[in-house]
Amino acid sequence: MGVDGAKFYVPHTKAIVDAAMREGKEKLSGGIFRPFVNAMIAKGFEDVQMFADSLVSGENVSDVTAVPSQDEAKVLALMDRITSDAMSRLDGAIALRAKNRSELGVGEPPLLYLIVATGEIKDDARQARVVAREGADVIAVIRHSGQSLLDHFPVGMIGGGEGGTYATRANMRHLREELDDVGLELGRYIQQTNYASGMAMPEVAAVAVQERLDMLLCDSMYGILFRDINPYRTFLDQHYSRMLCAYAGITINTGEDNYLTNADAVAFAHTVYASNFMNEQLALLAHLPPYLMGLGHAYEIDPKVENHYLLQLSEALLSRQLFPDHPLKYMPPTKHIGADMLFAHVHNVGFNKVAWLTAQTILLLGIMSEGVRTPHLEERLDSIRSARLAFNGAHDEGSVIRTDGTILETRAQEVLANTVRFLAEVERDGILPSIEAGKFAEMRRSLTGGHGYDGVITRSASYENPIFATIEERLIK
């Protein structure tokens, strides 16, 4: 709607919604849009930001739902104007991003995807420029480790993040400006990604569209299984987030690698493909086309397992065959990477080679020291050089791989059969009961528990969200 800013680190958006929910969340069953606009008219405001500032200026934040109803024609006219302004902001950012991508051109797959995570966005940006010059195509700023459980989107250029850097509008904008600058220097467009996950998933997506990001991590069940966020909350939020991605042409990345981090990669390989199919269907319901679905899988079989490389090759081939039109995202080994950095570096070569042979699209590069510490810059550069060496050394090997009657075929058939059986069980029992029963990643989650359940509200017949409705109407057309 155009509300930004914070008071004592509490975003205005959160403060206004929390004030409206003080006497019970049911007051917002019709949404926040109409009460906010109605209160604007009652108080004589024309500017959205100025009105939001006024609401939080006192000791207690004003409750917009307590304001008597105003003239209906005026309310509808102002709602239309705010919606039009919002769509103009989105459309302007989308058009500029498309122009920049078209003029400079994006890299050819496999796209080399590197994470920077210093905790300070300016340091992240400096590292991003260096790795872009070395050949990186996609830069991800991993989020501060606790941000997924914040029920709001932080405001400002915030540093001091542990295990990553805070995702904020200012931080996203700073990195986008730096990547645009180095992209002009290199003559190629550098893609930017962040994490539309956690309890502020739709807020991240909305800001990411306006700040011209190219990819967002946006999984249908990651928050439920691995962050204990309420299932209803997560399914609702991922739907809105993915509609925003569909409208903007942002590629989502799903999080199937987490299944194999928590369970044995050989015995539970089928859960990855089951999740892929579910992520695909939920994305289609949000009007997201296959070419924007970066479905995930990972190179996580224990290297002590006999034929582990061939098993990984088989499963990566299966992913490509099952989802031929999708920009698959392939994740490097992490579970069995420890303190032996030289072993990790060698193990990552196998991952790089499989990615090349099976035409993966988005390749998150493994880094030798990630099992020990936040990697140094030089180690990030080593990962790019290793990938380039593997790609060149196996350039035409894909044309001579034989699958019929080999372990590659038998393993793929085994995994696919297990996937079909698993999905049949989920269809029989239902997705939500299956989550409660712990069928996914062996994690049991309550339908009425978990983080964020207090923010789940049953919609009334009078629910209004004109921005959401406008986006959905345009997507359907």
Side-chain angles (χ1 to χ4, degrees):
M1 293 173 67
V3 176
D4 202 357
K7 181 181 179 181
F8 304 123
Y9 297 104
V10 178
H12 290 352
T13 50
K14 175 176 172 55
I16 293 166
V17 171
D18 285 352
M21 291 176 63
R22 272 198 300 258
E23 305 302 325
K25 62 185 182 181
E26 294 76 16
K27 292 199 304 178
L28 285 179
S29 62
I32 190 70
F33 204 117
R34 177 178 281 268
F36 184 90
V37 173
N38 182 76
M40 276 185 72
I41 292 172
K43 303 298 182 182
F45 281 87
E46 291 290 329
D47 183 270
V48 171
Q49 186 62 54
M50 289 178 65
F51 178 57
D53 292 340
S54 74
L55 290 174
V56 302
S57 61
E59 187 173 335
N60 295 313
V61 181
S62 300
D63 176 8
V64 294
T65 65
V67 177
S69 296
Q70 302 298 300
D71 180 83
E72 179 71 3
K74 291 182 178 179
V75 171
L76 290 176
L78 187 51
M79 288 173 71
D80 285 345
R81 179 173 69 75
I82 292 172
T83 299
S84 178
D85 290 346
M87 296 309 300
S88 293
R89 282 192 296 274
L90 296 180
D91 292 342
I94 293 166
L96 178 56
R97 172 175 160 269
K99 174 177 176 290
N100 292 344
R101 287 170 63 99
S102 175
E103 289 180 351
L104 290 176
V106 296
E108 293 293 326
L111 299 172
L112 301 185
Y113 178 120
L114 268 176
I115 292 173
V116 291
T118 68
E120 303 291 340
I121 189 62
K122 291 185 177 180
D123 291 335
D124 291 341
R126 280 190 281 268
Q127 289 201 9
R129 294 181 75 104
V130 175
V131 297
R133 292 188 183 109
E134 189 68 22
D137 300 296
V138 185
I139 305 297
V141 177
I142 196 169
R143 288 197 313 182
H144 169 66
S145 56
Q147 187 172 345
S148 63
L149 296 184
L150 292 180
D151 202 353
H152 63 273
F153 190 55
V155 174
M157 190 173 281
I158 303 175
E162 294 292 333
T165 303
Y166 281 96
T168 71
R169 179 191 295 273
N171 285 355
M172 288 180 180
R173 180 174 297 171
H174 179 74
L175 184 64
R176 181 69 272 164
E177 290 170 351
E178 292 289 315
L179 294 181
D180 285 346
D181 186 63
V182 76
L184 286 172
E185 170 195 318
L186 299 171
R188 60 187 179 87
Y189 183 85
I190 309 299
Q191 300 192 59
Q192 178 181 353
T193 187
N194 212 294
Y195 293 66
S197 59
M199 291 200 290
M201 188 189 300
E203 291 96 316
V204 177
V207 172
V209 174
Q210 295 172 63
E211 299 305 327
R212 299 183 286 116
L213 271 67
D214 302 277
M215 295 183 187
L216 286 172
L217 279 77
C218 188
D219 190 271
S220 62
M221 293 197 295
Y222 173 86
I224 301 168
L225 302 176
F226 307 110
R227 292 293 181 267
D228 194 20
I229 298 173
N230 178 262
Y232 292 115
R233 176 71 178 266
T234 299
F235 281 127
L236 290 167
D237 285 354
Q238 62 87 33
H239 182 73
Y240 199 174
S241 301
R242 288 175 171 194
M243 276 184 51
L244 285 163
C245 290
Y247 187 75
I250 290 176
T251 300
I252 67 166
N253 300 164
T254 57
E256 279 75 16
D257 56 299
N258 293 281
Y259 286 79
L260 303 185
T261 302
N262 285 270
D264 180 76
V266 176
F268 290 91
H270 62 281
T271 61
V272 168
Y273 300 93
S275 178
N276 284 155
F277 282 118
M278 293 172 64
N279 260 312
E280 180 188 44
Q281 289 302 309
L282 288 163
L284 290 171
L285 289 172
H287 313 290
L288 196 78
Y291 67 82
L292 293 177
M293 297 182 201
L295 302 179
H297 57 129
Y299 192 96
E300 286 287 19
I301 296 175
D302 188 338
K304 296 185 181 67
V305 172
E306 186 176 8
N307 286 324
H308 69 91
Y309 174 82
L310 294 178
L311 296 177
Q312 300 280 23
L313 180 58
S314 171
E315 292 174 14
L317 282 168
L318 177 61
S319 294
R320 178 41 73 203
Q321 290 175 343
L322 291 175
F323 304 103
D325 301 320
H326 302 62
L328 298 179
K329 183 183 179 187
Y330 201 23
M331 306 289 282
T334 55
K335 184 175 182 179
H336 301 287
I337 296 292
D340 187 340
M341 291 166 55
L342 293 178
F343 165 76
H345 197 48
V346 171
H347 194 32
N348 283 329
V349 171
F351 162 74
N352 291 331
K353 187 175 177 182
V354 168
W356 176 262
L357 296 178
T358 58
Q360 303 300 308
T361 313
I362 305 165
L363 184 62
L364 175 58
L365 294 178
I367 304 176
M368 66 176 80
S369 63
E370 60 191 342
V372 182
R373 59 169 182 257
T374 298
H376 295 156
L377 179 57
E378 180 63 31
E379 292 155 357
R380 299 184 192 282
L381 301 182
D382 284 338
S383 69
I384 296 175
R385 295 163 189 152
S386 172
R388 294 291 188 204
L389 185 64
F391 298 167
N392 186 61
H395 191 275
D396 295 318
E397 186 175 344
S399 63
V400 297
I401 292 178
R402 185 174 66 84
T403 57
D404 293 351
T406 68
I407 188 175
L408 300 180
E409 182 182 43
T410 56
R411 174 60 178 170
Q413 293 290 351
E414 175 190 11
V415 171
L416 186 56
N418 288 338
T419 302
V420 172
R421 281 194 290 270
F422 182 81
L423 286 172
E425 292 177 9
V426 173
E427 182 183 34
R428 180 195 66 208
D429 300 336
I431 292 178
L432 294 174
S434 295
I435 290 172
E436 281 192 302
K439 288 182 180 287
F440 301 99
E442 301 185 300
M443 297 284 189
R444 293 178 179 269
R445 298 303 186 207
S446 168
L447 300 185
T448 56
H451 303 285
Y453 182 62
D454 56 347
V456 177
I457 303 170
T458 301
R459 299 203 306 194
S460 68
S462 62
Y463 177 81
E464 292 176 283
N465 185 338
I467 298 174
F468 180 95
T470 301
I471 290 172
E472 185 168 45
E473 179 182 354
R474 293 185 184 181
L475 285 170
I476 292 172
K477 287 181 179 179

